[in-house]
Amino acid sequence: TRPPTPLAEAVTDYVATLRLTPVTDGDRTFAEWTAEFECAPEVAADLVSGIGQNVFQAGFDALKRQLAG
């Protein structure tokens, strides 16, 4: 098997948006993080999963730790 292609080589035209919206019921915030990018169809599913877990979830986990103090 081939080693995975590094993200920087597999993705082009990557644009991510992090939107934070106040929740009116309580002292909370709704966070929505999206990304759009171009890639080869044969690696799309792996990239979506990898970006979701390794980038987005890791970022949300770090933000939660930072805000917890």
Side-chain angles (χ1 to χ4, degrees), residues 6 11 15 17 28 30-31 33 39 48-49 53 67 69:
V11 172
V15 176
T17 302
R28 297 178 292 163
F30 178 77
W33 197 348
C39 67
V48 168
S49 176
Q53 291 300 310
L67 295 175

Side-chain angles (χ1 to χ4, degrees), residues 60-69:
F60 282 134
D61 291 347
L63 181 61
K64 185 177 180 180
R65 285 190 306 272
Q66 182 69 29
L67 295 175

Side-chain angles (χ1 to χ4, degrees), residues 19-64:
R19 180 175 294 132
L20 303 173
T21 306
V23 175
T24 58
D25 181 22
D27 186 24
R28 297 178 292 163
T29 301
F30 178 77
E32 178 183 26
W33 197 348
T34 61
E36 294 182 22
F37 56 87
E38 298 296 325
C39 67
E42 62 270 14
V43 296
D46 288 341
L47 287 171
V48 168
S49 176
I51 290 170
Q53 291 300 310
N54 299 325
V55 178
F56 291 178
Q57 190 58 56
F60 282 134
D61 291 347
L63 181 61
K64 185 177 180 180

